[in-house]
Amino acid sequence: SSYSDYSAIETFNETGVVNFTYLLDDFDGAYAPLEQDAGVLLSQNLQDRTMRAGLSLAGWKPKKSAAAQAVEWWIFDWEYAFPPARIQRYLPVQNTTFYQFSEENNYVFDQRGFNTFIKGEASTFLKPNDSRLLLNTIVTNISYSNDGVIVLNKDGSCVQADYAICTFSLGVLQSDDITFEPELPSWKQQGIETFAMGTYTKIFLQFPPDQVFWNTSYQYFLYADPNERGYYPVFQSLDCEGFLPGSGIIFVTVVSDQSYIVEAQDDQITKEQVLAVLRNMFGAENVPEPIDFMYPRWSLEPWAYGSYSNWPASTSLEMHQNLRANVARLYFAGEATSAEYGGFLHGAWTEGQVVGYAIAGMINGAHAAEQPHYEVLHGTTPLDAYNAANGWPVTSFQTYGFED
């Protein structure tokens, strides 16, 4: 896949093209001191506050400016799947993904899909038609104890094991679709219910390739709706160099409450709403009917109930560790259990490794790998608790000489 070019952006409101790209620099100017302040709050064990408060204190106050709200959505909601008022203040330094790896975010359209990773790993130990792999099998109940785990399935089958790793999404854990016996302890339930499952919905439209109405030299088109923040705000063209030129494909992304609305409504309603926005942006006479249209409904998928997790304001590392920690011989893994990479594929990958190695060690005679949990929670996390036992093996505070 090609790298995404975030500078290749054109901005619009309900009247058409209106250049407000200068606001992108204004937001960046506020975000830099916000990051520094977040580091101070975290390292000095100070009280958390919302990202909205942090942005306001840094001088970014979009208020009723539709253009400023659109820019904020472009930089913030588009990444975290929630608005700043619903996200903790620590987040810029707590999630180390962009510090440790790269600041780049790229759209991948590899037709093999992400299951290529899973198939590659599975091929190292599973054989074709391996009876240990149960596909299209719905889990309904998990019984756990200090002696083992029994998993009951909807079709009446069951699996018994010495240990089990639960990789349900946070959305599934928060649903009533799975029962646990005994009931999960209160500290575990609090950990599960405290964190938030975001929904991120990409809505794809394909137009006749000979009737493409947008400038294909741009990759992104940012729309500032006059009435509703985050209303079909960011369109991304795939009909451009390095992606799928000549395809006539463009898609728009919505998140959070807008995702719940579009995923609950009929395709035709959503299509009409998206077309109305495009016709405001590019002129009604220039936008034909699409030849194809589709979008997923992540919030309604019973194996997902959302897209990825996030940390609401005032959540602490100890609370997250309660989400992460095992109960008896039942262990948990997934992106939501990753303290440092939550919301990302590599978060799920690394958490699976941690738990997998721990269980392998116990099977081979190592001492029980009990993960810490906290019966009593405090408002903040002391600095010395940011350690590997609480899911924090990589520091957010190492500057490598660049502190100046």
Side-chain angles (χ1 to χ4, degrees):
S1 297
S2 299
Y3 287 112
S4 299
D5 183 0
Y6 289 94
S7 66
I9 180 174
E10 191 172 26
T11 54
F12 297 77
N13 66 13
E14 75 281 6
T15 67
V17 177
V18 176
N19 185 9
F20 52 85
T21 55
Y22 65 92
L23 289 172
L24 296 169
D25 292 332
D26 291 351
F27 188 94
D28 286 342
Y31 200 80
L34 178 145
E35 285 184 299
Q36 295 172 1
D37 184 47
V40 171
L41 293 178
L42 198 63
S43 62
Q44 296 184 13
N45 195 24
L46 301 177
Q47 189 180 55
D48 186 23
R49 46 183 175 257
T50 66
M51 284 292 295
R52 169 62 65 216
L55 287 167
S56 295
L57 290 168
W60 175 260
K61 299 182 179 183
K63 296 187 181 294
K64 295 184 179 181
S65 168
Q69 289 177 1
V71 164
E72 181 181 88
W73 195 101
W74 157 267
I75 299 176
F76 196 88
D77 299 43
W78 202 24
E79 177 64 38
Y80 298 112
F82 284 103
R86 293 167 63 183
I87 295 291
Q88 71 162 197
R89 180 67 184 80
Y90 295 154
L91 196 62
V93 294
Q94 188 145 295
N95 195 308
T96 61
T97 292
F98 294 115
Y99 299 110
Q100 188 179 354
F101 297 106
S102 168
E103 292 185 357
E104 301 299 328
N105 245 337
N106 296 301
Y107 179 79
V108 178
F109 62 95
D110 190 321
Q111 295 300 297
R112 294 173 300 173
F114 271 127
N115 67 12
T116 299
F117 294 106
I118 300 171
K119 290 178 178 178
E121 284 288 296
S123 67
T124 63
F125 62 90
L126 290 179
K127 301 174 182 178
N129 302 313
D130 199 307
S131 62
R132 294 173 294 173
L133 177 62
L134 303 180
L135 299 176
N136 300 313
T137 303
I138 300 172
V139 174
T140 57
N141 176 271
I142 298 176
S143 299
Y144 63 92
S145 71
N146 290 322
D147 298 317
V149 180
I150 299 174
V151 177
L152 299 180
N153 302 316
K154 188 176 181 180
D155 62 9
S157 64
C158 72
V159 178
Q160 185 171 359
D162 291 337
Y163 300 91
I165 304 174
C166 177
T167 60
F168 294 140
S169 74
L170 178 64
V172 172
L173 288 173
Q174 291 176 339
S175 75
D176 295 325
D177 292 359
I178 314 295
T179 57
F180 292 88
E181 294 182 14
E183 189 175 81
L184 293 173
S186 60
W187 59 262
K188 186 71 177 180
Q189 293 184 44
Q190 290 173 20
I192 291 170
E193 298 300 340
T194 295
F195 289 84
M197 188 66 171
T199 300
Y200 197 100
T201 312
K202 293 184 174 79
I203 303 166
F204 292 84
L205 302 93
Q206 183 176 27
F207 293 92
D210 61 346
Q211 297 183 54
V212 169
F213 50 86
W214 61 91
N215 185 339
T216 55
S217 66
Y218 290 104
Q219 289 187 24
Y220 300 99
F221 307 92
L222 179 61
Y223 173 67
D225 187 82
N227 301 313
E228 185 176 350
R229 181 186 181 279
Y231 186 78
Y232 302 113
V234 175
F235 289 81
Q236 186 169 347
S237 172
L238 296 184
D239 193 331
C240 56
E241 196 62 37
F243 291 90
L244 299 171
S247 65
I249 297 175
I250 193 170
F251 68 93
V252 61
T253 301
V254 292
V255 302
S256 194
D257 294 343
Q258 285 83 9
S259 281
Y260 303 142
I261 292 170
V262 302
E263 292 187 10
Q265 70 190 16
D266 183 81
D267 277 19
Q268 186 62 31
I269 296 173
T270 302
K271 183 169 72 172
E272 290 173 357
Q273 292 173 343
V274 174
L275 287 174
V277 169
L278 285 171
R279 286 164 179 160
N280 283 340
M281 295 168 64
F282 295 99
E285 69 282 2
N286 298 319
V287 180
E289 287 292 313
I291 58 176
D292 207 354
F293 177 85
M294 67 82 63
Y295 61 95
R297 288 174 164 81
W298 295 114
S299 66
L300 303 179
E301 287 285 359
W303 52 267
Y305 290 136
S307 302
Y308 52 83
S309 66
N310 229 315
W311 294 44
S314 299
T315 48
S316 66
L317 187 63
E318 288 98 332
M319 176 64 81
H320 182 264
Q321 183 59 28
N322 284 355
L323 166 65
R324 183 174 182 259
N326 67 294
V327 287
R329 289 194 171 191
L330 177 62
Y331 287 74
F332 294 79
E335 61 80 19
T337 68
S338 176
E340 294 194 300
Y341 311 130
F344 292 95
L345 179 66
H346 50 276
W349 179 276
T350 54
E351 284 294 285
Q353 282 185 320
V354 168
V355 175
Y357 282 130
I359 291 177
M362 289 185 288
I363 291 173
N364 288 315
H367 293 295
E370 286 292 319
Q371 296 172 314
H373 70 269
Y374 299 88
E375 300 279 354
V376 178
L377 291 167
H378 300 281
T380 58
T381 301
L383 191 59
D384 60 5
Y386 285 87
N387 55 44
N390 286 323
W392 200 274
V394 179
T395 180
S396 295
F397 311 114
Q398 176 59 261
T399 61
Y400 297 100
F402 294 103
E403 61 268 19
D404 297 329

